[in-house]
Amino acid sequence: MALCANHNSVYVALHISLIHSLFSLFYFTSAVAGSGASAGSASGLIPSYDVLYYTGVRAYFSEEWEKAAELLEKSMTIREALFRTRRQCHEECVPAGYDRLPKLDTEKGNVWDLWAVDWVQQRAECVRFCLGRAVTPAGQLPVSADIEYEFSTRNPYNFLQVVYWKLGKVQKAASAAHTFFVANPSHLEMRNNIEKYRRMEGVTEDAFQDREMEEEKHWALYDSALTSEASSDWTHAVEKWRECVNETLRQTDECRAQCEVASQRLPENRGEDGMDGVFEKAAALSLSFLSCQQACVTQVATRPGRISAQEDFLPTQLEHLHIAQFKAGDLGGAVRSLRSLLLFYPSDKDSLSNLQLYTETLGGDTEAHGTQPSQEIARYVSRSLQEKKLLYFGMENLNFNFTDPDLWTPEEVVPELLRETWRAEKEVLNEKMKEGEKEVEMDDSGFYAGGPVPQVGVTISMDDHSLNGTNRVVLDGVLDQKECDTVLRLATAAASVGDGYLGRRSPHTPHEKFEGLTVLRAAKLAQDGMVNQSDAKLLHEMGERVRTLLHSYFRSPSGLHFSYTHLVCRSAITGDQEGRLDLSHPVHVDNCLLEPETRQCWREPPAFTHRDLSAVLYLNDDFDGGELFFTDRDAKTVTARVKPTCGRLVGFSSGPVNPHGVTAVTAGRRCALALWFTKEKHHRDMEREEAEALWAADGQSVTKGGEVKEEGREGTAAPARSGRSGSQSSRSRGRGRVTGGKDEL
């Protein structure tokens, strides 16, 4: 990374931002004065990209698809060209006027001011000429906050996805959809569109590449480094962490250059009333400029699609880097990286302890003992501290507002009068972080929501975000109305009272009657001619369909076996609903015993501890109540509700992150297929296999997905590597299989 020059004179370093502000003030005034040129001039200069974007959106709503595609693409191309030109002008004009700088160390009074203004004018003239030969005056003006938001959220790709679809260019439509989705991962409609594109002819895997990848390269390196760490490939981890640090510095430098060369407005309308003099205006602009550059820390540390930045992004990388270097045997590199980290947190006990360990391990290697911090990191920290001092001075004395993006800022940088407020704000931030840590539920099931949906017509209606939880999903379109009606008729003809509940008619509430039917019993009834074979087979095939969908969506790292499948109908008992306050099924967790008072969940009998994934496939909605709901571990705080309807599938991991219950069915009959899956083959549903054997003995085939292997399934994408732990540390391997009542959804 090319950092700003670090001058020897403290005097010059402390006044450099004032000089920059004078330059920016002069440049902004001259740019506005010449802004009459049209954005679309034939001069070959870079026009205003916001005008192109507005025109493209207008063409979109007029359904002029070719025009919309051309203008939207051009607006993004022009924006990239503008940013690239600003960067080039910044680099080209860094030396401008430097021959005046020595005078600032020797001259005093008005003569010093004149030399400072002379330097500013030289720099301003250079930038003005550089931009003027490449960008129209209108293109040099700042765009509105609305336009900045549109591009930061990648909304142009949202429009382009529809435009290219209308034009029949499905490869380009898929590419636009994927690029938009990367920055908007909770956009369910776009996720469903992407699944449709994956199944279309003419769409290759190349379409699903982020078109903005170059701007987010540091995040790809960050994730690659973490992956290498997880597999203990320390040599590769060192390489990727080092690249990540360098790319983060480069991206930060790029952002800072945009702050310097782009036109700047006076902050908070200062100076419009004519009350501020030239120094007040220059100071206000200089503080705005420095605040913009400090904000680059937040911008670079914010992942696409995230609202908040990752705290201590650069120090975190250095921490990972020195540990990886130590494990890879590069002690000299580890010392350098650790000393670089100590520039941010010089009194951190863990870092100092690690430094002592590294020093002792080095023994007599005097050269490695003398290893100094990275020069780039040292300049980064020194520059940032100087900027913070000026900004905090502005807060204290010039009524300027500044939000410090860093947690590592030392207290001595903050003026005494502001420290009390600064400490209070930091304490509030720390408390919020602690509360957030308490609220986050970690799921160690090995499932990782967000995989593809491999069935045509099935759409994602709700995901983790909209269900306010972890490893939860609602899929619609799993069954059509004809299939729902068929299974409802089967339930009416064959379901028996108390089936699956040790014969208990009302296992959870006296106000409802429960009836059930297993796949094996349906197969036997079909063999005896009591029900249609096709209806019994459909019940079996529905389970296979659910397994295929959930294994893919939750990206299961191992095989998924049926644990239990049960068609269950619960009916409101007529005349016994008045004043009812209970639930159809109380709040519970499927594989452990929930203790709401202590928020603990004990994984021991009589809980079905082998269950890993739960599902319920609804068949009807012509009843009152019967909604599935999720809660916090207190069993009281409802986090999400799901209303049943034909073909709707709810899937979730079976552990303590997903307590759930069912509201009272107060009228009508609610029917659904409940399913549980396990990763342990010896806990698979033997009754289901017996049913399959019956059909096989009669020479009848059944739709069967087969056991899903770890390396992926035929016809679907291999599951992505889970970022969570893939094992259940509390599972008892010696426990016998639990028999008896089935804990229904």
Side-chain angles (χ1 to χ4, degrees):
M1 164 191 163
L3 294 169
C4 296
N6 195 22
H7 303 294
N8 293 327
S9 172
V10 176
Y11 188 79
V12 173
L14 289 174
H15 284 80
I16 202 77
S17 65
L18 175 60
I19 295 170
H20 272 296
S21 70
L22 287 168
F23 149 65
S24 301
L25 180 62
F26 291 164
Y27 171 68
F28 175 71
T29 304
S30 62
V32 172
S35 62
S38 66
S41 65
S43 61
L45 302 181
I46 296 173
S48 176
Y49 71 88
D50 57 342
V51 174
L52 290 169
Y53 181 65
Y54 277 132
T55 310
V57 172
R58 195 175 297 119
Y60 171 90
F61 286 109
S62 299
E63 298 186 3
E64 300 174 70
W65 307 121
E66 291 282 2
K67 182 179 179 181
E70 179 185 359
L71 290 170
L72 290 169
E73 288 284 10
K74 192 173 182 181
S75 70
M76 292 189 290
T77 302
I78 291 298
R79 182 172 181 265
E80 291 173 7
L82 175 63
F83 281 31
R84 190 166 54 250
T85 300
R86 286 176 180 168
R87 174 67 181 183
Q88 291 169 351
C89 289
H90 166 76
E91 293 176 353
E92 186 177 316
C93 295
V94 164
Y98 263 21
D99 58 330
R100 274 71 169 174
L101 292 180
K103 296 288 186 180
L104 301 182
D105 289 332
T106 58
E107 303 291 350
K108 297 181 180 180
N110 292 335
V111 179
W112 184 95
D113 293 347
L114 291 175
W115 281 111
V117 172
D118 186 22
W119 180 83
V120 169
Q121 288 180 335
Q122 294 291 326
R123 188 76 173 269
E125 189 274 337
C126 178
V127 174
R128 187 166 189 248
F129 175 77
C130 182
L131 287 177
R133 71 189 179 194
V135 187
T136 64
Q140 297 174 34
L141 293 174
V143 299
S144 69
D146 289 340
I147 285 291
E148 289 179 351
Y149 179 78
E150 288 286 293
F151 280 85
S152 68
T153 57
R154 303 190 182 183
N155 210 38
Y157 293 102
N158 194 3
F159 288 114
L160 278 173
Q161 182 257 160
V162 177
V163 169
Y164 284 131
W165 167 253
K166 293 289 186 180
L167 292 172
K169 300 178 179 180
V170 290
Q171 180 84 352
K172 289 187 174 182
S175 177
H178 177 79
T179 302
F180 174 79
F181 184 70
V182 168
N184 301 271
S186 61
H187 198 289
L188 292 179
E189 182 181 353
M190 195 63 74
R191 174 182 279 173
N192 288 325
N193 287 345
I194 290 171
E195 293 303 324
K196 293 174 184 175
Y197 286 131
R198 287 188 184 277
R199 294 190 288 264
M200 288 182 184
E201 286 189 26
V203 178
T204 66
E205 195 60 32
D206 291 341
F208 304 101
Q209 302 292 327
D210 184 4
R211 287 179 53 178
E212 301 284 334
M213 186 185 305
E214 191 60 31
E215 299 301 316
E216 311 296 343
K217 187 178 177 181
H218 56 303
W219 285 113
L221 291 167
Y222 187 92
D223 292 338
S224 178
L226 288 177
T227 301
S228 297
E229 280 188 359
S231 58
S232 298
D233 185 353
W234 299 111
T235 301
H236 191 257
V238 168
E239 177 188 346
K240 291 305 175 183
W241 281 124
R242 189 181 287 116
E243 290 179 19
C244 186
V245 169
N246 291 335
E247 182 63 19
T248 299
L249 291 171
R250 190 196 70 80
Q251 292 276 9
T252 304
D253 201 37
E254 174 71 32
C255 175
R256 290 172 61 86
Q258 297 298 322
C259 292
E260 182 173 322
V261 181
S263 300
Q264 298 284 342
R265 288 191 176 94
L266 285 173
E268 302 171 0
N269 299 319
R270 291 193 60 145
E272 291 187 1
D273 56 6
M275 298 298 292
D276 284 345
V278 64
F279 282 102
E280 287 87 348
K281 290 179 181 177
L285 193 57
S286 111
L287 292 169
S288 178
F289 161 66
L290 291 178
S291 180
C292 175
Q293 292 197 315
Q294 282 280 303
C296 288
V297 173
T298 301
Q299 181 176 322
V300 173
T302 304
R303 274 187 187 270
R306 302 285 176 86
I307 297 174
S308 302
Q310 180 167 324
E311 300 289 359
D312 272 346
F313 187 47
L314 187 54
T316 297
Q317 293 175 46
L318 292 170
E319 185 171 22
H320 280 278
L321 176 58
H322 83 74
I323 293 172
Q325 287 171 320
F326 177 74
K327 289 182 177 292
D330 180 11
L331 289 177
V335 171
R336 179 182 296 277
S337 299
L338 185 50
R339 289 193 189 278
S340 299
L341 175 60
L342 283 165
L343 293 176
F344 294 93
Y345 291 102
S347 58
D348 181 68
K349 293 181 180 179
D350 290 337
S351 296
L352 292 172
S353 176
N354 284 330
L355 183 60
Q356 183 179 354
L357 170 65
Y358 296 170
T359 303
E360 292 172 354
T361 306
L362 284 167
D365 190 343
T366 55
E367 183 178 345
H369 277 294
T371 303
Q372 296 301 307
S374 159
Q375 291 184 8
E376 290 82 2
I377 298 298
R379 285 197 291 266
Y380 176 96
V381 173
S382 176
R383 178 187 63 194
S384 185
L385 288 175
Q386 292 286 6
E387 290 171 352
K388 291 176 191 294
K389 288 176 183 177
L390 291 168
L391 285 161
Y392 278 115
F393 179 88
M395 288 182 67
E396 183 182 26
N397 300 289
L398 299 174
N399 198 30
F400 184 77
N401 293 323
F402 165 61
T403 301
D404 196 329
D406 295 309
L407 293 176
W408 59 267
T409 302
E411 187 171 304
E412 57 267 22
V413 171
V414 184
E416 190 66 42
L417 291 176
L418 298 175
R419 284 184 190 175
E420 199 60 42
T421 304
W422 180 78
R423 290 192 197 104
E425 290 176 351
K426 199 166 185 178
E427 187 62 32
V428 169
L429 178 62
N430 289 334
E431 286 300 319
K432 284 184 178 179
M433 291 176 67
K434 289 178 183 177
E435 289 175 9
E437 290 171 0
K438 291 178 183 177
E439 292 172 2
V440 172
E441 283 276 16
M442 296 302 295
D443 187 357
D444 63 353
S445 64
F447 299 118
Y448 184 39
V453 178
Q455 182 179 327
V456 176
V458 175
T459 58
I460 303 168
S461 297
M462 302 177 80
D463 60 3
D464 281 356
H465 179 75
S466 48
L467 288 168
N468 299 311
T470 302
N471 281 334
R472 301 174 181 176
V473 70
V474 175
L475 302 176
D476 279 330
V478 178
L479 301 175
D480 59 29
Q481 189 61 55
K482 182 179 179 181
E483 290 173 319
C484 288
D485 291 342
T486 298
V487 181
L488 285 170
R489 286 196 302 270
L490 177 65
T492 300
S496 60
V497 173
D499 179 88
Y501 301 98
L502 298 178
R504 289 176 295 167
R505 175 177 181 269
S506 303
H508 299 305
T509 170
H511 306 288
E512 297 174 23
K513 178 181 70 175
F514 283 68
E515 301 166 285
L517 178 67
T518 63
V519 173
L520 176 60
R521 187 159 176 271
K524 288 181 176 180
L525 289 172
Q527 193 177 46
D528 294 340
M530 304 295 291
V531 298
N532 292 331
Q533 281 284 7
S534 60
D535 295 353
K537 287 182 181 179
L538 176 59
L539 183 65
H540 174 275
E541 192 270 331
M542 285 162 51
E544 297 292 341
R545 200 180 300 180
V546 170
R547 175 167 66 168
T548 299
L549 287 167
L550 296 187
H551 186 281
S552 177
Y553 182 79
F554 287 115
R555 296 184 274 199
S556 175
S558 60
L560 206 58
H561 310 278
F562 287 94
S563 172
Y564 188 55
T565 306
H566 198 209
L567 174 60
V568 59
C569 296
R570 53 191 81 194
S571 305
I573 297 175
T574 306
D576 195 18
Q577 302 299 318
E578 187 175 351
R580 183 177 174 185
L581 299 174
D582 65 345
L583 296 170
S584 178
H585 197 151
V587 175
H588 62 284
V589 175
D590 286 344
N591 68 11
C592 57
L593 303 175
L594 181 63
E595 192 176 83
E597 296 78 13
T598 62
R599 301 175 63 88
Q600 296 295 317
C601 205
W602 305 102
R603 198 154 187 181
E604 58 188 38
F608 298 93
T609 56
H610 55 277
R611 291 178 176 173
D612 296 304
L613 195 63
S614 305
V616 55
L617 178 58
Y618 296 111
L619 302 174
N620 64 321
D621 59 8
D622 53 342
F623 53 87
D624 294 337
E627 290 186 355
L628 177 72
F629 62 93
F630 293 97
T631 74
D632 190 9
R633 286 203 192 193
D634 62 5
K636 298 176 182 177
T637 306
V638 176
T639 57
R641 292 179 181 272
V642 181
K643 184 175 177 59
T645 190
C646 167
R648 172 165 289 177
L649 171 66
V650 184
F652 50 94
S653 57
S654 303
V657 297
N658 286 318
H660 58 282
V662 179
T663 62
V665 177
T666 56
R669 186 178 189 232
R670 173 194 189 266
C671 292
L673 183 66
L675 306 103
W676 291 269
F677 302 93
T678 179
K679 290 182 283 187
E680 299 179 38
K681 189 172 183 179
H682 63 282
H683 280 302
R684 67 190 186 278
D685 186 356
M686 302 305 294
E687 286 191 357
R688 185 180 184 87
E689 294 187 3
E690 186 179 343
E692 293 166 355
L694 281 177
W695 280 312
D698 287 344
Q700 301 181 54
S701 62
V702 292
T703 302
K704 195 174 187 308
E707 301 305 331
V708 184
K709 303 299 181 184
E710 291 188 23
E711 59 268 22
R713 294 157 297 154
E714 183 180 354
T716 63
R721 183 183 181 88
S722 172
R724 299 183 174 92
S725 169
S727 64
Q728 292 280 9
S729 58
S730 58
R731 178 175 292 139
S732 173
R733 296 291 180 183
R735 182 177 297 121
R737 185 172 183 179
V738 180
T739 58
K742 306 297 183 180
D743 191 10
E744 290 292 350
L745 291 164

